[in-house]
Amino acid sequence: YVGFPEAIPPWVQAGGRDGIAIELLRSVLRAEGLHLHPVQQPYARRLQTYRHGQLDALYDITPQQQQYEQLNGSISLPLHSFDNIAVALGRRQLEIEQLSDLLRWRVMAWDGAGNVLPSGYDRLLALADGNYLEARNQGHQLVNLLAGRVDVILCDRLIFEWQRRQLYPATLETAPPLRIYPLLPPKEAGLLFRDSGLRARVDARIRA
């Protein structure tokens, strides 16, 4: 049983439908004769489920998150990586050259982003000013940006492109201009395994 987010399409689809990440892990485990049971929950809840021994692994956990959340286990090699970006409406012409510039704007990040954002962004200060929130469903980020509820969204480039094509399926030419700010480093999506032996078997398959 592996804990996944509720929805970060196309990596993890909502409603129990497979996404890219689930398909990748299913293929790895199948090669070891194992069957994948995805459990999709909000960030805090799936950490608690893991702590209670009801999950064998957690998808997309970094060493920083493991240390901050005090989670037992060992982290696998990356299943894939996220190309995280900041996105704003082009007509706003926001002057954002470095992470600290985001403090002036209302930011919506992904669920659980707070523990892995680079040190150049003071999340706690932004939170205190009411300028930071996280989306449990990343499919809603772009909708909130276009509606003017937030000034900037932080998300993976593939997730952003998926959201944009869902909103404008006919042609992207009808979409309002959006500006991408490449402020964030790539984020590796490893898995935290309770059993180090199982983690080693998964690592061997990922290497292959």
Side-chain angles (χ1 to χ4, degrees):
Y1 292 83
V2 179
F4 286 90
E6 287 182 293
I8 53 168
W11 295 108
V12 178
Q13 299 282 3
R17 294 174 296 146
D18 281 3
I20 298 172
I22 290 179
E23 290 173 356
L24 286 171
L25 184 57
R26 177 170 282 123
S27 176
V28 167
L29 293 178
R30 187 185 295 122
E32 286 294 312
L34 300 170
H35 181 70
L36 173 63
H37 297 275
V39 179
Q40 294 174 238
Q41 297 174 325
Y43 179 73
R45 185 178 167 194
R46 68 178 179 272
L47 295 193
Q48 197 66 12
T49 305
Y50 179 82
R51 290 190 180 100
H52 288 165
Q54 297 169 326
L55 293 173
D56 302 297
L58 289 170
Y59 162 75
D60 187 25
I61 295 292
T62 66
Q64 296 95 323
Q65 283 173 295
Q66 182 185 11
Q67 182 178 5
Y68 181 85
E69 301 288 357
Q70 298 181 336
L71 298 169
N72 294 324
S74 56
I75 296 177
S76 73
L77 293 172
L79 188 63
H80 65 85
S81 63
F82 294 106
D83 179 16
N84 289 322
I85 53 175
V87 184
L89 292 174
R91 61 178 171 78
R92 297 286 306 280
Q93 297 185 340
L94 302 186
E95 295 184 9
I96 303 174
E97 297 182 357
Q98 53 193 5
L99 279 171
S100 58
D101 294 334
L102 292 176
L103 288 172
R104 293 179 289 167
W105 312 109
R106 294 167 299 167
V107 171
M108 175 180 279
W110 63 91
D111 193 18
N115 300 330
V116 296
L117 290 175
S119 58
Y121 177 69
D122 192 333
R123 180 184 64 92
L124 294 180
L125 178 58
L127 196 61
D129 291 338
N131 283 339
Y132 179 83
L133 70 159
E134 296 180 358
R136 283 176 56 175
N137 186 336
Q138 282 195 258
H140 298 159
Q141 282 183 298
L142 187 53
V143 172
N144 281 281
L145 178 67
L146 295 174
R149 300 187 191 102
V150 295
D151 302 307
V152 180
I153 59 174
L154 305 180
C155 62
D156 167 62
R157 189 183 296 269
L158 192 60
I159 294 173
F160 162 68
E161 293 294 349
W162 184 93
Q163 292 181 55
R164 193 159 62 147
R165 292 186 182 280
Q166 291 297 305
L167 290 173
Y168 302 95
T171 172
L172 291 179
E173 293 177 2
T174 60
L178 297 166
R179 182 172 177 183
I180 293 175
Y181 302 84
L183 301 174
L184 301 168
K187 178 176 178 285
E188 295 182 337
L191 293 115
L192 177 65
F193 283 93
R194 188 180 308 281
D195 184 323
S196 61
L198 179 55
R199 189 265 307 154
R201 290 167 65 187
V202 167
D203 279 350
R205 291 295 177 179
I206 292 175
R207 285 193 193 94

mmCIF file of all heavy atoms in Angstrom, residues 5-9 11 60 82 84 108-111 134-144 153-157 159-160 162-163:
data_model
loop_
_atom_site.group_PDB
_atom_site.id
_atom_site.type_symbol
_atom_site.label_atom_id
_atom_site.label_comp_id
_atom_site.label_asym_id
_atom_site.label_seq_id
_atom_site.Cartn_x
_atom_site.Cartn_y
_atom_site.Cartn_z
ATOM 1 N N PRO A 5 -0.820 11.570 -3.384
ATOM 2 C CA PRO A 5 -1.723 12.724 -3.263
ATOM 3 C C PRO A 5 -3.092 12.400 -3.841
ATOM 4 O O PRO A 5 -3.246 11.458 -4.627
ATOM 5 C CB PRO A 5 -1.027 13.820 -4.080
ATOM 6 C CG PRO A 5 0.386 13.368 -4.227
ATOM 7 C CD PRO A 5 0.354 11.876 -4.221
ATOM 8 N N GLU A 6 -4.078 13.210 -3.475
ATOM 9 C CA GLU A 6 -5.426 13.009 -4.011
ATOM 10 C C GLU A 6 -5.452 13.194 -5.524
ATOM 11 O O GLU A 6 -6.075 12.423 -6.243
ATOM 12 C CB GLU A 6 -6.405 13.980 -3.350
ATOM 13 C CG GLU A 6 -6.739 13.646 -1.917
ATOM 14 C CD GLU A 6 -7.744 14.605 -1.332
ATOM 15 O OE1 GLU A 6 -7.399 15.798 -1.157
ATOM 16 O OE2 GLU A 6 -8.896 14.185 -1.066
ATOM 17 N N ALA A 7 -4.770 14.255 -5.995
ATOM 18 C CA ALA A 7 -4.784 14.520 -7.436
ATOM 19 C C ALA A 7 -3.684 15.497 -7.800
ATOM 20 O O ALA A 7 -3.696 16.641 -7.344
ATOM 21 C CB ALA A 7 -6.143 15.086 -7.868
ATOM 22 N N ILE A 8 -2.725 15.053 -8.593
ATOM 23 C CA ILE A 8 -1.747 15.946 -9.223
ATOM 24 C C ILE A 8 -1.602 15.517 -10.686
ATOM 25 O O ILE A 8 -0.553 15.050 -11.112
ATOM 26 C CB ILE A 8 -0.382 15.955 -8.480
ATOM 27 C CG1 ILE A 8 0.163 14.518 -8.300
ATOM 28 C CG2 ILE A 8 -0.466 16.662 -7.147
ATOM 29 C CD1 ILE A 8 1.616 14.489 -7.850
ATOM 30 N N PRO A 9 -2.694 15.652 -11.433
ATOM 31 C CA PRO A 9 -2.689 15.188 -12.830
ATOM 32 C C PRO A 9 -1.683 15.962 -13.670
ATOM 33 O O PRO A 9 -1.489 17.156 -13.448
ATOM 34 C CB PRO A 9 -4.125 15.473 -13.287
ATOM 35 C CG PRO A 9 -4.617 16.572 -12.392
ATOM 36 C CD PRO A 9 -3.948 16.321 -11.072
ATOM 37 N N TRP A 11 0.341 13.263 -13.228
ATOM 38 C CA TRP A 11 1.144 12.299 -12.472
ATOM 39 C C TRP A 11 0.266 11.343 -11.668
ATOM 40 O O TRP A 11 0.498 10.138 -11.641
ATOM 41 C CB TRP A 11 2.124 13.024 -11.542
ATOM 42 C CG TRP A 11 3.163 13.827 -12.248
ATOM 43 C CD1 TRP A 11 3.242 15.197 -12.336
ATOM 44 C CD2 TRP A 11 4.278 13.329 -12.996
ATOM 45 N NE1 TRP A 11 4.321 15.576 -13.084
ATOM 46 C CE2 TRP A 11 4.992 14.449 -13.504
ATOM 47 C CE3 TRP A 11 4.747 12.060 -13.286
ATOM 48 C CZ2 TRP A 11 6.136 14.320 -14.284
ATOM 49 C CZ3 TRP A 11 5.896 11.923 -14.059
ATOM 50 C CH2 TRP A 11 6.576 13.052 -14.548
ATOM 51 N N ASP A 60 6.779 10.553 -3.336
ATOM 52 C CA ASP A 60 7.235 11.941 -3.382
ATOM 53 C C ASP A 60 7.568 12.504 -2.003
ATOM 54 O O ASP A 60 6.946 13.457 -1.520
ATOM 55 C CB ASP A 60 6.201 12.828 -4.080
ATOM 56 C CG ASP A 60 6.715 14.259 -4.296
ATOM 57 O OD1 ASP A 60 7.948 14.430 -4.358
ATOM 58 O OD2 ASP A 60 5.878 15.181 -4.398
ATOM 59 N N PHE A 82 10.164 16.441 -10.780
ATOM 60 C CA PHE A 82 9.250 17.537 -11.089
ATOM 61 C C PHE A 82 10.054 18.745 -11.551
ATOM 62 O O PHE A 82 11.067 19.098 -10.935
ATOM 63 C CB PHE A 82 8.433 17.940 -9.853
ATOM 64 C CG PHE A 82 7.467 16.898 -9.368
ATOM 65 C CD1 PHE A 82 7.728 16.177 -8.217
ATOM 66 C CD2 PHE A 82 6.288 16.647 -10.050
ATOM 67 C CE1 PHE A 82 6.837 15.221 -7.746
ATOM 68 C CE2 PHE A 82 5.386 15.693 -9.596
ATOM 69 C CZ PHE A 82 5.656 14.976 -8.444
ATOM 70 N N ASN A 84 9.592 22.198 -11.369
ATOM 71 C CA ASN A 84 8.727 23.181 -10.735
ATOM 72 C C ASN A 84 8.998 24.600 -11.236
ATOM 73 O O ASN A 84 10.145 25.010 -11.412
ATOM 74 C CB ASN A 84 8.887 23.127 -9.217
ATOM 75 C CG ASN A 84 8.286 21.867 -8.638
ATOM 76 O OD1 ASN A 84 7.236 21.409 -9.089
ATOM 77 N ND2 ASN A 84 8.936 21.287 -7.640
ATOM 78 N N MET A 108 0.017 30.485 -4.360
ATOM 79 C CA MET A 108 -0.607 29.181 -4.117
ATOM 80 C C MET A 108 0.351 28.099 -4.593
ATOM 81 O O MET A 108 0.695 28.042 -5.774
ATOM 82 C CB MET A 108 -1.945 29.059 -4.844
ATOM 83 C CG MET A 108 -2.578 27.673 -4.710
ATOM 84 S SD MET A 108 -4.176 27.508 -5.570
ATOM 85 C CE MET A 108 -5.250 28.256 -4.344
ATOM 86 N N ALA A 109 0.781 27.252 -3.670
ATOM 87 C CA ALA A 109 1.699 26.154 -3.993
ATOM 88 C C ALA A 109 0.954 24.832 -3.911
ATOM 89 O O ALA A 109 -0.254 24.787 -3.665
ATOM 90 C CB ALA A 109 2.881 26.164 -3.037
ATOM 91 N N TRP A 110 1.663 23.743 -4.117
ATOM 92 C CA TRP A 110 1.062 22.416 -4.027
ATOM 93 C C TRP A 110 0.997 21.962 -2.570
ATOM 94 O O TRP A 110 1.691 22.487 -1.700
ATOM 95 C CB TRP A 110 1.843 21.412 -4.870
ATOM 96 C CG TRP A 110 3.278 21.193 -4.425
ATOM 97 C CD1 TRP A 110 3.725 20.268 -3.541
ATOM 98 C CD2 TRP A 110 4.439 21.938 -4.844
ATOM 99 N NE1 TRP A 110 5.089 20.369 -3.377
ATOM 100 C CE2 TRP A 110 5.550 21.396 -4.178
ATOM 101 C CE3 TRP A 110 4.640 23.001 -5.721
ATOM 102 C CZ2 TRP A 110 6.848 21.879 -4.352
ATOM 103 C CZ3 TRP A 110 5.931 23.482 -5.896
ATOM 104 C CH2 TRP A 110 7.013 22.921 -5.220
ATOM 105 N N ASP A 111 0.146 20.988 -2.311
ATOM 106 C CA ASP A 111 -0.056 20.466 -0.961
ATOM 107 C C ASP A 111 1.240 19.851 -0.433
ATOM 108 O O ASP A 111 1.800 18.941 -1.031
ATOM 109 C CB ASP A 111 -1.165 19.407 -1.010
ATOM 110 C CG ASP A 111 -1.681 19.021 0.364
ATOM 111 O OD1 ASP A 111 -1.445 19.779 1.321
ATOM 112 O OD2 ASP A 111 -2.333 17.970 0.480
ATOM 113 N N GLU A 134 -1.778 26.485 0.196
ATOM 114 C CA GLU A 134 -1.476 25.292 -0.586
ATOM 115 C C GLU A 134 -2.773 24.677 -1.092
ATOM 116 O O GLU A 134 -3.789 24.680 -0.398
ATOM 117 C CB GLU A 134 -0.698 24.287 0.266
ATOM 118 C CG GLU A 134 0.672 24.814 0.682
ATOM 119 C CD GLU A 134 1.462 23.838 1.541
ATOM 120 O OE1 GLU A 134 0.934 22.741 1.850
ATOM 121 O OE2 GLU A 134 2.616 24.163 1.889
ATOM 122 N N ALA A 135 -2.718 24.148 -2.321
ATOM 123 C CA ALA A 135 -3.885 23.559 -2.957
ATOM 124 C C ALA A 135 -3.883 22.046 -2.765
ATOM 125 O O ALA A 135 -2.946 21.370 -3.181
ATOM 126 C CB ALA A 135 -3.897 23.883 -4.453
ATOM 127 N N ARG A 136 -4.919 21.521 -2.143
ATOM 128 C CA ARG A 136 -5.027 20.067 -1.994
ATOM 129 C C ARG A 136 -5.181 19.414 -3.357
ATOM 130 O O ARG A 136 -4.659 18.336 -3.594
ATOM 131 C CB ARG A 136 -6.214 19.724 -1.088
ATOM 132 C CG ARG A 136 -5.946 19.945 0.392
ATOM 133 C CD ARG A 136 -7.164 19.697 1.241
ATOM 134 N NE ARG A 136 -7.722 18.352 1.041
ATOM 135 C CZ ARG A 136 -8.734 17.874 1.745
ATOM 136 N NH1 ARG A 136 -9.293 18.616 2.688
ATOM 137 N NH2 ARG A 136 -9.193 16.659 1.512
ATOM 138 N N ASN A 137 -5.893 20.070 -4.259
ATOM 139 C CA ASN A 137 -6.059 19.570 -5.624
ATOM 140 C C ASN A 137 -5.370 20.539 -6.574
ATOM 141 O O ASN A 137 -5.839 21.661 -6.772
ATOM 142 C CB ASN A 137 -7.545 19.446 -5.968
ATOM 143 C CG ASN A 137 -7.780 18.803 -7.331
ATOM 144 O OD1 ASN A 137 -6.917 18.840 -8.215
ATOM 145 N ND2 ASN A 137 -8.937 18.209 -7.517
ATOM 146 N N GLN A 138 -4.241 20.122 -7.150
ATOM 147 C CA GLN A 138 -3.482 21.031 -8.002
ATOM 148 C C GLN A 138 -4.216 21.384 -9.279
ATOM 149 O O GLN A 138 -3.873 22.364 -9.943
ATOM 150 C CB GLN A 138 -2.110 20.422 -8.337
ATOM 151 C CG GLN A 138 -1.127 20.549 -7.193
ATOM 152 C CD GLN A 138 0.295 20.299 -7.632
ATOM 153 O OE1 GLN A 138 0.838 19.229 -7.391
ATOM 154 N NE2 GLN A 138 0.905 21.256 -8.273
ATOM 155 N N GLY A 139 -5.238 20.623 -9.620
ATOM 156 C CA GLY A 139 -6.032 20.956 -10.779
ATOM 157 C C GLY A 139 -6.764 22.276 -10.640
ATOM 158 O O GLY A 139 -7.253 22.834 -11.622
ATOM 159 N N HIS A 140 -6.843 22.795 -9.397
ATOM 160 C CA HIS A 140 -7.559 24.050 -9.149
ATOM 161 C C HIS A 140 -6.637 25.263 -9.160
ATOM 162 O O HIS A 140 -7.118 26.397 -9.059
ATOM 163 C CB HIS A 140 -8.282 23.985 -7.796
ATOM 164 C CG HIS A 140 -9.329 22.916 -7.729
ATOM 165 N ND1 HIS A 140 -9.794 22.388 -6.540
ATOM 166 C CD2 HIS A 140 -10.000 22.257 -8.712
ATOM 167 C CE1 HIS A 140 -10.703 21.462 -6.796
ATOM 168 N NE2 HIS A 140 -10.835 21.360 -8.097
ATOM 169 N N GLN A 141 -5.338 25.044 -9.258
ATOM 170 C CA GLN A 141 -4.403 26.170 -9.151
ATOM 171 C C GLN A 141 -4.599 27.207 -10.246
ATOM 172 O O GLN A 141 -4.701 28.399 -9.980
ATOM 173 C CB GLN A 141 -2.959 25.663 -9.177
ATOM 174 C CG GLN A 141 -2.487 25.063 -7.865
ATOM 175 C CD GLN A 141 -1.036 24.655 -7.958
ATOM 176 O OE1 GLN A 141 -0.668 23.799 -8.759
ATOM 177 N NE2 GLN A 141 -0.197 25.256 -7.152
ATOM 178 N N LEU A 142 -4.629 26.744 -11.494
ATOM 179 C CA LEU A 142 -4.731 27.675 -12.609
ATOM 180 C C LEU A 142 -6.069 28.404 -12.598
ATOM 181 O O LEU A 142 -6.140 29.590 -12.934
ATOM 182 C CB LEU A 142 -4.522 26.944 -13.934
ATOM 183 C CG LEU A 142 -4.447 27.817 -15.191
ATOM 184 C CD1 LEU A 142 -3.399 28.919 -15.045
ATOM 185 C CD2 LEU A 142 -4.140 26.966 -16.421
ATOM 186 N N VAL A 143 -7.126 27.715 -12.194
ATOM 187 C CA VAL A 143 -8.443 28.356 -12.086
ATOM 188 C C VAL A 143 -8.376 29.532 -11.113
ATOM 189 O O VAL A 143 -8.905 30.616 -11.380
ATOM 190 C CB VAL A 143 -9.507 27.339 -11.635
ATOM 191 C CG1 VAL A 143 -10.834 28.035 -11.336
ATOM 192 C CG2 VAL A 143 -9.699 26.264 -12.691
ATOM 193 N N ASN A 144 -7.727 29.319 -9.978
ATOM 194 C CA ASN A 144 -7.585 30.383 -8.976
ATOM 195 C C ASN A 144 -6.741 31.538 -9.488
ATOM 196 O O ASN A 144 -7.018 32.699 -9.196
ATOM 197 C CB ASN A 144 -6.992 29.817 -7.685
ATOM 198 C CG ASN A 144 -8.012 29.089 -6.843
ATOM 199 O OD1 ASN A 144 -8.804 29.702 -6.147
ATOM 200 N ND2 ASN A 144 -8.014 27.764 -6.912
ATOM 201 N N ILE A 153 1.186 31.027 -8.975
ATOM 202 C CA ILE A 153 1.073 29.624 -8.572
ATOM 203 C C ILE A 153 2.430 28.952 -8.740
ATOM 204 O O ILE A 153 3.197 29.295 -9.635
ATOM 205 C CB ILE A 153 -0.010 28.859 -9.367
ATOM 206 C CG1 ILE A 153 0.267 28.891 -10.877
ATOM 207 C CG2 ILE A 153 -1.395 29.417 -9.052
ATOM 208 C CD1 ILE A 153 -0.689 28.022 -11.696
ATOM 209 N N LEU A 154 2.720 28.018 -7.857
ATOM 210 C CA LEU A 154 3.941 27.218 -7.926
ATOM 211 C C LEU A 154 3.533 25.787 -8.237
ATOM 212 O O LEU A 154 2.756 25.182 -7.483
ATOM 213 C CB LEU A 154 4.700 27.266 -6.593
ATOM 214 C CG LEU A 154 5.053 28.648 -6.030
ATOM 215 C CD1 LEU A 154 5.809 28.503 -4.717
ATOM 216 C CD2 LEU A 154 5.864 29.465 -7.024
ATOM 217 N N CYS A 155 4.030 25.262 -9.343
ATOM 218 C CA CYS A 155 3.625 23.912 -9.724
ATOM 219 C C CYS A 155 4.633 23.318 -10.698
ATOM 220 O O CYS A 155 5.502 24.005 -11.230
ATOM 221 C CB CYS A 155 2.232 23.918 -10.350
ATOM 222 S SG CYS A 155 2.085 24.882 -11.858
ATOM 223 N N ASP A 156 4.476 22.030 -10.915
ATOM 224 C CA ASP A 156 5.280 21.320 -11.899
ATOM 225 C C ASP A 156 4.848 21.740 -13.304
ATOM 226 O O ASP A 156 3.660 21.958 -13.568
ATOM 227 C CB ASP A 156 5.081 19.816 -11.694
ATOM 228 C CG ASP A 156 5.618 18.983 -12.843
ATOM 229 O OD1 ASP A 156 6.833 19.036 -13.079
ATOM 230 O OD2 ASP A 156 4.813 18.305 -13.501
ATOM 231 N N ARG A 157 5.807 21.848 -14.210
ATOM 232 C CA ARG A 157 5.505 22.318 -15.564
ATOM 233 C C ARG A 157 4.507 21.400 -16.273
ATOM 234 O O ARG A 157 3.599 21.872 -16.963
ATOM 235 C CB ARG A 157 6.804 22.404 -16.389
ATOM 236 C CG ARG A 157 6.631 23.097 -17.737
ATOM 237 C CD ARG A 157 7.932 23.069 -18.506
ATOM 238 N NE ARG A 157 8.987 23.828 -17.839
ATOM 239 C CZ ARG A 157 9.228 25.129 -18.066
ATOM 240 N NH1 ARG A 157 8.503 25.793 -18.947
ATOM 241 N NH2 ARG A 157 10.222 25.735 -17.433
ATOM 242 N N ILE A 159 2.218 19.481 -14.870
ATOM 243 C CA ILE A 159 0.910 19.685 -14.232
ATOM 244 C C ILE A 159 0.277 20.984 -14.740
ATOM 245 O O ILE A 159 -0.921 21.031 -15.036
ATOM 246 C CB ILE A 159 1.050 19.709 -12.693
ATOM 247 C CG1 ILE A 159 1.485 18.329 -12.181
ATOM 248 C CG2 ILE A 159 -0.257 20.131 -12.029
ATOM 249 C CD1 ILE A 159 1.811 18.302 -10.698
ATOM 250 N N PHE A 160 1.086 22.025 -14.856
ATOM 251 C CA PHE A 160 0.600 23.306 -15.375
ATOM 252 C C PHE A 160 0.062 23.150 -16.798
ATOM 253 O O PHE A 160 -1.031 23.629 -17.119
ATOM 254 C CB PHE A 160 1.736 24.331 -15.340
ATOM 255 C CG PHE A 160 1.510 25.533 -16.214
ATOM 256 C CD1 PHE A 160 0.522 26.454 -15.922
ATOM 257 C CD2 PHE A 160 2.288 25.727 -17.342
ATOM 258 C CE1 PHE A 160 0.308 27.557 -16.742
ATOM 259 C CE2 PHE A 160 2.080 26.822 -18.169
ATOM 260 C CZ PHE A 160 1.095 27.748 -17.864
ATOM 261 N N TRP A 162 -1.035 20.464 -18.221
ATOM 262 C CA TRP A 162 -2.249 19.658 -18.162
ATOM 263 C C TRP A 162 -3.438 20.523 -17.783
ATOM 264 O O TRP A 162 -4.513 20.440 -18.398
ATOM 265 C CB TRP A 162 -2.067 18.509 -17.169
ATOM 266 C CG TRP A 162 -3.233 17.564 -17.118
ATOM 267 C CD1 TRP A 162 -3.385 16.415 -17.843
ATOM 268 C CD2 TRP A 162 -4.407 17.670 -16.302
ATOM 269 N NE1 TRP A 162 -4.584 15.813 -17.532
ATOM 270 C CE2 TRP A 162 -5.235 16.563 -16.592
ATOM 271 C CE3 TRP A 162 -4.833 18.605 -15.359
ATOM 272 C CZ2 TRP A 162 -6.463 16.361 -15.964
ATOM 273 C CZ3 TRP A 162 -6.067 18.413 -14.742
ATOM 274 C CH2 TRP A 162 -6.860 17.301 -15.034
ATOM 275 N N GLN A 163 -3.270 21.368 -16.739
ATOM 276 C CA GLN A 163 -4.352 22.258 -16.308
ATOM 277 C C GLN A 163 -4.782 23.177 -17.448
ATOM 278 O O GLN A 163 -5.980 23.391 -17.696
ATOM 279 C CB GLN A 163 -3.900 23.115 -15.119
ATOM 280 C CG GLN A 163 -3.660 22.361 -13.834
ATOM 281 C CD GLN A 163 -3.249 23.294 -12.710
ATOM 282 O OE1 GLN A 163 -3.945 24.250 -12.404
ATOM 283 N NE2 GLN A 163 -2.106 23.021 -12.092
#
